[in-house]
Each structure stands twice: as C-alpha cells, then as structure tokens.
C-alpha cells in the first residue's frame, strides 16, 4: 500500500496541494495507525495530515474520491459469451482466458499491474493518452490475444470461428475500458499540468498581445503573484522588525543580574511600506500594460501604505477617486474607456503631462514617495519636459520608470527615454507579467 499512498500524494501535488517531505512521512505514520480497512477513517486522518487550508481540503476530498474510486470493468458494461459453447484450452493465453471466463477482478488487477509497470503517473500531455493505452494493453497480453484470434479464425475445429468472434468483441470492450482508465488517470495526474503550461505561457507573453478571453485567467495569475509577494514581504518585515542581537546593549542592560542574560536586546532594521504615486500613459500602445500594472498595485493593499494614481495621454488627470468608488476591475474598465476621468485621448504629450502634474499635484510628492512612471516615452517629438522630471526626482525618494519597449528601442524615433534615464533609478523594461512581478518585488524591498 506504500506505493498507492505515494501515488495518491503525487496526485495531490499535481492538483496544487503543497505536500512537504515531513508531511509525507506524517501521512505514512497516519495510515499505519488508522489502517486501510475503513475508508472514511483513512480519508479523515489523511486530510488532517495533508490539507492545510480550506481550499486544500476541498482539493484533497475531490482527489481522494477520484483516486480511491475504481469502477473499471463494471459488470453492467460487459456481455460475456456463453462458456458452454466456447471451451477454454491449454493453448489459450491468460488474457484470452480472463475475457472468455468473465474474470473481471483478474482483468482489473492485470490492468493495474500493467499501468504500474509503465509508471502511468508520469503522464503529462493529452497526446500521450494513446501511447499509454497501447502500452497497458501490451502489458496485459494483447499480442497473445491477437495471436489467439488469428489462430481461431484459421482453425477448422467446430466452434473456433464463434470463439474468435467473441474474443474480437471482448477485445474491443477491453480497449474501451483501458482507454477510460487512462482518461481518468490523465485527469488525476496531468490536468493541472495543462493549466500550468498555459499559465507559464501567459506569464511570458507580451501584455499588449493578451487577448480579452484570457483576462480572467490573467487576473487569477496576478492574484496568486500578489499573495506570494505579500507573504514574502510580510515575513521580511517581521524579520527586519526583530533584527539581530545587539550584544553591547544586552550586556549593558543585564549587568544588574551579575552574569546571566535575562533580557535580550535586538538591533532593529525598519522596512517601510512604500508610498506610491503612479503616473500611467493610457495611449493605445501602453494601455494593456497599464491595466495589469494598476491591477497589480491595487491588489497590494496590505503591502503598500498609499497609492495615488494619475493617467495621461494629451493631458494628465488624477484617477484615484475612481479606485476609491469602484472595485479595481470595474475602475480599470472605466479608466480605459475614459469614463469619469477628464483625459483627452489625442497625441501623447509627456511634457504636458509632467507639467500638469507639477502644476496640480506636486505637493503629493515627498521624500517618502516613490514615483512610478509607466510609459514608452514616445512624445511625438514634443517638449519631453525633462526639467520637470528632474525637479520631481529631487523632491521624491526615487523615480522608477517602467517601459513596455525593450531597451534597444529606447531613444529611437520619437522616444525620449534616454533623456529621462538620468532621473530614473531604475528604469526597466516591463512588458510581461514576470517583469511586473520582479518590478513590484523591487518596489517592496526598500529598507529605510
């Protein structure tokens, strides 16, 4: 049964439940204690050892039900030939005998042994299904079965042709049962692999090329990324708050105890949650990146102290009230349709946008503020407003520029990116979800 439990844990992991080595050992000890005789007791005991959250509990129950429910070779699906007319002989292969005698438990055991000999749990892609069906059938003795069918068809012995025809029907039913079994195993061990492949593809695709039908999946990926970042930086803040042992201060404060160190003193290192002013280009070439970046930022509500958002095209306007009034996804839809924000969608003018920001909202920038600019820096050969960006740079903690174009395009044509670079630390390409995750990770790692 150890192998069965290992395969079940493999199925759990493939379904997204994180199971560590120590939890695997706990599961083995649990199964040893409760035994395998009572299904419900085993399920409850393994759930307590392996599922750590409500979501994982639901996945566990679904996985347990599918893994330990076997309806292969059900009696109702089979029509057996009359054995009185079809005599079994010494030269008949074992698979032939099981099919003609209606030995369903024997067929089920033979199929399980064949699937384990080829390690069916390694199935990853739907294109492998036919391969595994054939391997299992071969493992059960398909070749000998087909030899028996050919022999019976050529034989002149009475009843041989009827026996051969009955075997052909049984072979077809055997094939359908094995195919169903492989389908179920694929669903158990490889369904999440397909999702993982699609997810990896979406993480690497340029955000401007994401189709609308994939938006929901992208939002789910971003939520998982945000959760991972928040967990990681929450641990960092706790660790930074505790700091390292301050040996001098500990010795000084414990002199009253004449030797023993009862009160430990720690060096603290404070990591502040960033105060962000986001300035986003909403022109057609950048709007997809702006959508996902803002979705990312506004999902970081636990890790960010404050966000104020400004959007621009021909002019600049503040968009923070929309995010306060509506949910993030509704606010983004309104923003990109230009509903509720006085932005003119004409020629992109970075110089005018920076001047608008300086005239109306420069007071929002302090020494604690990180100014996050998202744009391709293509200003249609207008005044780029580098002087304004220089003054913002002096006033804030840092200016971080995210450009959806690769660095090789910076400074070409009407791109003013190279004129902005001296005031940006850092300036990075940001055109995929992986880029966004790395940038936000850097943003949240800012010791005081």
């Amino acid at each position: 049964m150890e192998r069965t439990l290992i395969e079940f844990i493999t199925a759990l992991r493939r379904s997204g439940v994180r199971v560590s080595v120590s939890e695997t050992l706990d599961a083995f000890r649990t199964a040893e204690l409760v035994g395998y005789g009572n299904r419900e007791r085993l399920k409850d005991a393994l759930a307590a050892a392996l599922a750590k959250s409500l979501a994982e509990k639901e996945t566990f129950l679904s996985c347990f039900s599918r893994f330990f429910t076997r309806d292969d070779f059900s009696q109702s699906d089979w029509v057996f030939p009359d054995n009185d007319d079809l005599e079994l002989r010494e030269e008949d292969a074992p698979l032939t005998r099981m099919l003609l005698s209606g030995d369903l438990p024997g067929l089920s055991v033979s199929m399980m042994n064949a699937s384990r000999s080829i390690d069916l749990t390694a199935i990853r892609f739907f294109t492998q299904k036919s391969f595994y069906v054939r391997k299992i059938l071969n493992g059960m003795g398909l070749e000998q079965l087909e030899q028996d069918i050919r022999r019976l068809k050529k034989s002149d012995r009475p009843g041989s042709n009827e026996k051969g025809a009955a075997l052909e029907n049984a072979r077809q039913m055997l094939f359908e049962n094995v195919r169903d079994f492989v389908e179920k195993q694929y669903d158990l061990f490889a369904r999440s692999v397909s999702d993982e492949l699609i997810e990896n593809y979406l993480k690497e695709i340029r955000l401007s090329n994401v189709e609308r039908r994939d938006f929901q999946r992208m939002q789910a990926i971003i939520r998982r990324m945000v959760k991972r970042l928040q967990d990681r930086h929450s641990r960092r803040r706790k660790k930074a708050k505790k700091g390292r042992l301050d040996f001098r201060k500990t010795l000084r404060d414990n002199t009253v105890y004449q030797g023993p160190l009862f009160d430990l003193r720690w060096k603290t290192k404070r990591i502040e949650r960033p105060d962000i002013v986001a300035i986003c280009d909403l022109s057609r070439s950048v709007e997809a990146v702006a959508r996902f970046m803002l979705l990312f930022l506004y999902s970081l509500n636990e890790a960010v102290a404050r966000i104020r958002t400004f959007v621009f095209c021909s002019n600049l306007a503040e968009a923070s009230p929309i995010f306060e009034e509506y949910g993030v996804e509704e606010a983004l839809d309104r923003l990109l349709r230009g509903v509720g924000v006085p932005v003119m969608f004409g020629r992109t003018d970075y110089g005018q946008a920076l001047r608008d920001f300086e005239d109306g909202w420069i007071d929002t920038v302090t020494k604690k503020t990180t100014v996050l600019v998202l744009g391709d820096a293509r200003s249609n050969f207008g005044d780029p407003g580098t002087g304004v960006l220089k003054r913002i740079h002096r006033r804030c903690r840092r200016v971080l520029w995210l450009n959806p174009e690769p660095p090789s395009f910076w400074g070409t044509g009407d791109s003013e990116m190279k004129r902005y670079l001296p005031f940006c630390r850092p300036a990075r390409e940001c055109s995929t979800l992986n880029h966004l995750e790395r940038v936000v990770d850097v943003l949240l790692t800012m010791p005081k």
Side-chain angles (χ1 to χ4, degrees):
M1 293 299 289
E2 285 187 0
R3 179 162 183 173
T4 302
L5 192 52
I6 288 173
E7 289 177 353
F8 174 62
I9 290 172
T10 301
L12 270 183
R13 284 175 172 152
R14 298 268 179 87
S15 300
V17 178
R18 290 174 296 172
V19 182
S20 66
V21 175
S22 62
E23 288 165 348
T24 302
L25 295 175
D26 289 344
F28 273 103
R29 281 194 288 269
T30 302
E32 196 175 313
L33 283 173
V34 301
Y36 292 89
N38 188 315
R39 177 191 172 101
E40 289 303 313
R41 188 188 299 162
L42 178 66
K43 181 172 73 175
D44 293 340
L46 289 179
L50 297 173
K52 299 172 285 297
S53 65
L54 185 59
E56 288 188 355
K57 182 76 177 290
E58 291 175 359
T59 306
F60 173 90
L61 293 177
S62 168
C63 214
F64 187 93
S65 172
R66 286 182 291 151
F67 186 85
F68 287 103
T69 301
R70 291 283 162 79
D71 55 356
D72 317 314
F73 300 102
S74 117
Q75 182 80 33
S76 59
D77 297 338
W78 284 76
V79 179
F80 295 106
D82 186 353
N83 285 339
D84 293 337
D85 299 333
L86 305 174
E87 182 186 359
L88 297 178
R89 294 179 176 280
E90 287 295 327
E91 64 266 26
D92 290 339
L95 182 58
T96 302
R97 289 173 165 273
M98 285 189 283
L99 289 172
L100 292 180
S101 63
D103 183 6
L104 296 185
L107 287 170
S108 184
V109 170
S110 175
M111 183 177 68
M112 289 302 302
N113 290 337
S115 70
R116 283 185 172 168
S117 69
I118 60 171
D119 192 12
L120 184 56
T121 61
I123 188 170
R124 307 287 285 180
F125 309 107
F126 72 93
T127 51
Q128 295 176 302
K129 290 181 191 175
S130 300
F131 168 77
Y132 278 104
V133 169
R134 192 71 188 179
K135 294 285 280 185
I136 290 174
L137 288 171
N138 287 341
M140 293 177 72
L142 179 65
E143 189 175 343
Q144 292 82 357
L145 172 65
E146 290 179 340
Q147 285 175 0
D148 284 348
I149 293 173
R150 286 194 294 272
R151 173 174 55 79
L152 290 167
K153 289 265 178 132
K154 292 177 182 174
S155 175
D156 297 330
R157 186 177 297 169
S160 294
N161 285 335
E162 290 76 6
K163 189 174 177 181
L167 273 180
E168 282 183 325
N169 291 335
R171 181 182 60 183
Q172 182 60 30
M173 295 176 72
L174 174 69
F175 171 78
E176 290 173 3
N177 274 269
V178 172
R179 186 186 59 191
D180 291 345
F181 172 73
V182 172
E183 288 275 358
K184 288 174 185 171
Q185 297 300 298
Y186 170 78
D187 187 61
L188 194 59
F189 289 102
R191 182 69 66 185
S192 63
V193 175
S194 300
D195 293 340
E196 189 180 329
L197 287 174
I198 296 173
E199 184 171 314
N200 288 337
Y201 167 74
L202 289 176
K203 283 180 180 177
E204 290 295 336
I205 191 176
R206 293 184 70 83
L207 294 172
S208 55
N209 294 333
V210 175
E211 297 185 20
R212 194 164 190 84
R213 66 186 180 193
D214 291 323
F215 277 10
Q216 197 168 1
R217 193 184 286 268
M218 293 286 283
Q219 288 165 2
I221 295 171
I222 288 175
R223 281 196 290 272
R224 283 197 291 277
M225 284 178 163
V226 166
K227 174 77 169 50
R228 187 165 59 244
L229 285 173
Q230 285 182 334
D231 290 346
R232 185 189 308 162
H233 289 279
S234 174
R235 286 196 295 273
R236 281 181 185 171
R237 279 197 296 275
K238 287 178 183 174
K239 187 177 177 182
K241 190 175 179 181
K242 188 173 181 181
R244 295 180 179 178
L245 181 67
D246 189 337
F247 197 65
R248 287 185 180 178
K249 196 171 181 181
T250 299
L251 285 180
R252 187 171 60 245
D253 291 351
N254 285 272
T255 50
V256 294
Y257 304 119
Q258 298 181 349
L261 302 179
F262 289 107
D263 296 329
L264 301 180
R265 296 289 182 257
W266 303 92
K267 293 178 180 178
T268 58
K269 181 181 177 183
R270 189 175 176 184
I271 295 180
E272 289 191 338
R273 294 188 300 167
D275 175 12
I276 297 173
V277 168
I279 302 176
C280 299
D281 182 356
L282 280 191
S283 61
R284 189 173 297 277
S285 57
V286 189
E287 66 173 25
V289 185
R291 164 187 283 274
F292 293 114
M293 191 198 76
L294 290 174
L295 181 61
F296 220 118
L297 287 181
Y298 276 91
S299 301
L300 287 167
N301 50 357
E302 290 180 12
V304 176
R306 185 184 63 140
I307 303 175
R308 291 193 69 170
T309 304
F310 301 86
V311 294
F312 69 92
C313 191
S314 298
N315 66 321
L316 179 138
E318 183 171 10
S320 305
I322 292 185
F323 287 97
E324 292 169 4
E325 187 174 353
Y326 301 98
V328 178
E329 290 164 16
E330 170 69 17
L332 285 170
D333 283 337
R334 286 175 167 267
L335 206 60
L336 295 173
R337 284 187 284 116
V339 177
V341 185
V343 174
M344 292 182 286
F345 289 90
R347 289 164 59 89
T348 308
D349 190 337
Y350 277 72
Q352 184 60 46
L354 290 171
R355 285 189 291 276
D356 287 347
F357 180 77
E358 185 179 40
D359 293 342
W361 296 278
I362 193 65
D363 291 340
T364 61
V365 178
T366 68
K367 283 296 180 185
K368 292 184 177 180
T369 305
T370 295
V371 178
L372 190 63
V373 184
L374 174 66
D376 57 9
R378 296 195 176 276
S379 193
N380 294 300
F381 301 104
D383 176 11
T386 48
V388 182
L389 186 64
K390 183 178 181 180
R391 290 192 285 277
I392 294 173
H393 167 69
R394 286 176 177 171
R395 191 181 177 91
C396 71
R397 188 175 188 180
R398 70 160 78 170
V399 175
L400 200 159
W401 194 297
L402 307 180
N403 194 321
E405 294 185 346
S408 57
F409 283 31
W410 297 358
T412 62
D414 59 347
S415 172
E416 304 290 352
M417 194 63 217
K418 288 195 173 177
R419 300 178 67 178
Y420 293 136
L421 280 179
F423 315 112
C424 304
R425 297 201 179 160
R428 295 193 174 183
E429 178 188 356
C430 183
S431 58
T432 67
L433 274 190
N434 279 339
H435 289 158
L436 258 180
E437 185 182 21
R438 283 196 285 271
V439 166
V440 173
D441 193 21
V442 169
L443 186 66
L444 297 178
T445 314
M446 293 193 305
K448 189 177 180 182

